[in-house]
Amino acid sequence: MSQIENLTEKAISLLKQLIETPSFSGKEQHTADCIAAWLDAAGIPFKRSKNNIYVFNADYDPEKPNLLLNSHHDTVRPNDAYTRDPFKATISEGKLFGLGSNDAGGCLVSLLACFAYWYPKKDLSHNLIMVASAEEENSGPNGLNSMLKILPEIDVAIVGEPTLLELAIAEKGLVIFDGTVKGTPSHAAHPNPNNAIYNSIEVLKWFRDYEFPKVSEVLGPVKMTVTQISAGTQHNVVPAKVDLVVDVRVNDCYSNKEIAEILKREAPCELKVRSLRLNSSSIDREHPLVQAGIGMGKGTYGSPTLSDQAALSCPSLKLGPGDSTRSHSADEFIYLEEIQQGVRLYIAMLEKFLHPKEN
């Protein structure tokens, strides 16, 4: 058995452990223990900050630039449509089933195998830093964003998320707004020309039809969606207001701050922004890391989904085994072959990137 095959086998074994160890966001201490034990067995010294596990390559040189490898080990809660035990790792027809198998356990263990392969190597162009992070699914305060205060400056990153092993060179940001449509409260039996619920009809149409003028070549247009609406307490009372939640997926033509300024100025209702920190992410298609993947026949695209890339200010590439459409679905799974391919791809891309003079 080759070294890469051996590492892949150990990675799949770890993934089975992770599946069978509940790790909802903020409660990942036991999966952090599993990852720590895996690294310890591999002879790789690690550090821990809350439920984040992080490691540096053996030949770390503070004078060199830093490449971050990152994926998360927290999961969402299983939905009611599961027909299998979400916490039981089972294999059937080449598929490994279980909660977190696809999002993002397969990516995480593949990156760990890749890091273990490169850990002892010398004379690399970049240092390698691996972070198995917590609280990605809820964008919590104790995830990758908290690690950036601890780690040295990151120059470029690979974020492991399921991309069918294609190169996501950009990712949309996210801004959530709480909106309020006001009216006049009254008894339902009396005339009321200022009914907040009726007023909300035109407001909803405005959000549905509004288009931001700047369209990204990679990420397309900004996408704005009203995702929640609530009003009223009883059948015979016209409420004073209607509450809305608006989800805005931001392309790389705008900062989140610009989106907030535009909507506060133009939207036909009151808006309050929850956070501006989840900005869009990107990496130049000509970046050597991207070119390494393109040279191996991989295509590029823009991702509509959010990840830990949003915490990073450096160029970052989203890449990993698995399919994003399986994430958060019932009976989640990943193909074992996808993990095998993921380990090989990560290692081969870094072979090209970490030894630029030899390629």
Side-chain angles (χ1 to χ4, degrees), residues 228-242:
Q228 291 176 263
I229 183 168
S230 61
T233 57
Q234 58 192 70
H235 78 91
N236 59 350
V237 177
V238 175
K241 64 186 179 73
V242 174

Side-chain angles (χ1 to χ4, degrees), residues 192-251:
N192 184 345
N194 191 32
N195 185 314
I197 292 177
Y198 294 157
N199 292 346
S200 70
I201 294 173
E202 292 303 316
V203 174
L204 293 172
K205 287 181 179 178
W206 186 90
F207 281 113
R208 181 194 65 189
D209 298 336
Y210 185 86
E211 294 182 357
F212 290 88
K214 297 179 184 178
V215 178
S216 167
E217 291 183 10
V218 179
L219 291 171
V222 174
K223 187 177 188 301
M224 182 161 60
T225 310
V226 176
T227 56
Q228 291 176 263
I229 183 168
S230 61
T233 57
Q234 58 192 70
H235 78 91
N236 59 350
V237 177
V238 175
K241 64 186 179 73
V242 174
D243 295 316
L244 309 173
V245 175
V246 186
D247 178 297
V248 184
R249 303 289 166 153
V250 184
N251 65 23

